[in-house]
Amino acid sequence: MPGFSHMRTDSGPPLYAALDLGTNNCRLLVATPLTRGFRVIDSFSRMVRLGEGLATTGRLCEAAMERALDAIALCAERLARRPAHRLRAVATEACRKASNGEGFLARVRETTGIDFEVIGPREEAELAVESCASLLAGPEHRALLFDIGGGSTELAWLRARRPGEAPSEVIGYASVPLGVVTLAERWGERAFTVEGFGAMVEDAVAAFRPFDEIHRIGDEIGRGGVRLIGTSGTVTTLAGVALGLPRYSRALIDGHTLSGAEADGALAALCAMGRPGLLEHPCVGPGRVEFVLPGCAVFAAMRRLWPAARVTVADRGLREGMLIRLMRADRRRHSGRPYRPRALPAARPPAA
């Protein structure tokens, strides 16, 4: 089967596609550019749990690879129906860490024709910043952007922009090897107990503290003017609970800003539901029940270290960042100007 990287449409505006294979989910987004931003033509998301068992074996298990391959095959079918002018497909933490990750992606390429690129933590952070650029304008002079993933949590410490100013400047970033899948597998049913949840929070606090010691984010928050921006399923779920939504609505959640008290209240409400309540909640459901409290524990650790007055919720991530970059590169190419993506500064190693 031929690759998809340079397929073109014969009529109408060009289509761009971004495919993100993470530790927990496989997500596709197809869009066409507008004067500002883009219009979504098609989207797909499926929980594949590619990182199942990875923390203990160091390998992707066969069942997880089959789930991911099935989802990618569905994405390939969608792309065949809507051929894209440009496609970028990336794999993240699970394929980075697994000893058989490269072999699995070769199998994907042979089976579906989609050629995945394994990106590093630095580019993950860059793409998250890219996708949330429009949310960064505000009264605060600093922002901490975070993405609680399946196998890792990405952090980016930003000098925020005000309306009309230049784009935000990234001061520092880190990829912390702690995510909802790793915590769920480590703690199992204990995650639903008060003691287990508290232990998960302590794990996360210890993992994030070196980043705080480097950048003194807690001190900045104490002086005011810092906002948290979250791009993960954990924070979108918290927002759905805080807003009392009868079902999840991206239109109501993406870009919504919670006060610190609202975020903390939603966190407490989720923790109090227990497994039965989480199973029945319209913003959670059976597919995600195992991962909600581990994600909440990571968020609780952030709130302990970084109790900012506001938390902005973003239902966007790597796919949106990839699309923005692809479209911008084409605009620059057509205008004759070279495209140079803004790079993050070199990461400083965490404290021992």
Side-chain angles (χ1 to χ4, degrees):
M1 182 182 293
F4 288 97
S5 58
H6 296 289
M7 296 178 74
R8 305 178 66 93
T9 53
D10 295 327
S11 61
L15 297 181
Y16 293 77
L19 182 53
D20 167 25
L21 179 62
T23 301
N24 211 28
N25 295 285
C26 176
R27 297 185 174 103
L28 171 70
L29 200 61
V30 181
T32 187
L34 301 174
T35 304
R36 288 190 174 186
F38 53 80
R39 181 167 65 92
V40 174
I41 302 299
D42 192 14
S43 65
F44 171 87
S45 180
R46 173 172 290 187
M47 184 179 292
V48 296
R49 294 181 290 124
L50 181 59
E52 179 184 16
L54 175 61
T56 55
T57 67
R59 295 177 57 82
L60 305 176
C61 71
E62 186 60 32
M65 290 189 288
E66 286 293 339
R67 288 192 299 266
L69 192 54
D70 287 346
I72 296 166
L74 291 175
C75 292
E77 292 176 8
R78 287 171 177 258
L79 290 166
R81 292 196 296 268
R82 289 190 172 92
H85 167 62
R86 291 195 185 281
L87 163 70
R88 189 176 185 201
V90 303
T92 56
E93 181 76 359
C95 289
R96 281 200 299 262
K97 292 180 65 175
S99 60
N100 59 340
E102 185 176 336
F104 168 63
L105 293 181
R107 177 178 165 189
V108 168
R109 183 167 56 251
E110 180 179 353
T111 304
T112 69
I114 298 180
D115 191 7
F116 278 86
E117 171 189 0
V118 179
I119 63 172
R122 178 190 184 102
E123 188 165 6
E124 273 199 76
E126 289 176 343
L127 291 169
V129 172
E130 196 87 67
S131 70
C132 293
S134 63
L135 302 179
L136 290 169
E140 295 88 358
H141 63 278
R142 293 284 190 277
L144 177 63
L145 179 70
F146 65 91
D147 181 1
I148 305 170
S152 64
T153 296
E154 316 307 319
L155 302 171
W157 178 229
L158 310 169
R159 183 172 290 110
R161 67 183 177 91
R162 298 180 187 278
E165 293 181 346
S168 303
E169 176 188 352
V170 180
I171 302 168
Y173 77 97
S175 180
V176 180
L178 196 71
V180 299
V181 174
T182 53
L183 284 174
E185 291 187 351
R186 184 183 306 168
W187 293 96
E189 285 300 311
R190 290 177 294 167
F192 293 91
T193 68
V194 173
E195 295 78 11
F197 184 84
M200 288 193 296
V201 174
E202 294 299 333
D203 277 359
V205 167
F208 295 142
R209 197 178 296 282
F211 192 70
D212 184 67
E213 291 173 348
I214 291 170
H215 298 291
R216 314 306 301 178
I217 299 168
D219 294 345
E220 288 277 0
I221 289 173
R223 292 190 285 269
V226 176
R227 179 166 40 122
L228 300 185
I229 301 178
T231 69
S232 66
T234 296
V235 289
T236 57
T237 300
L238 285 165
V241 171
L243 293 170
L245 298 182
R247 65 185 63 83
Y248 186 80
S249 169
R250 184 183 188 277
L252 294 176
I253 286 176
D254 183 51
H256 183 77
T257 295
L258 301 171
S259 69
E262 288 172 327
D264 294 341
L267 181 65
L270 278 170
C271 292
M273 289 179 192
R275 179 185 284 275
L278 292 171
L279 279 168
E280 295 175 3
H281 197 281
C283 293
V284 180
R288 297 181 56 238
V289 69
E290 305 294 336
F291 307 115
V292 172
L293 291 185
C296 285
V298 175
F299 183 73
M302 291 183 180
R303 292 293 298 160
R304 183 186 299 182
L305 286 169
W306 305 311
R310 301 204 305 159
V311 182
T312 294
V313 181
D315 187 352
R316 56 183 80 183
L318 297 190
R319 296 176 303 167
E320 289 82 358
M322 286 189 282
L323 289 175
I324 291 167
R325 282 196 168 182
L326 289 173
M327 293 172 185
R328 183 189 300 139
D330 270 3
R331 285 195 296 268
R332 296 280 178 88
R333 190 177 296 111
H334 294 153
S335 69
R337 293 181 294 166
Y339 169 59
R340 297 185 180 89
R342 289 187 294 118
L344 298 182
R348 295 175 61 180

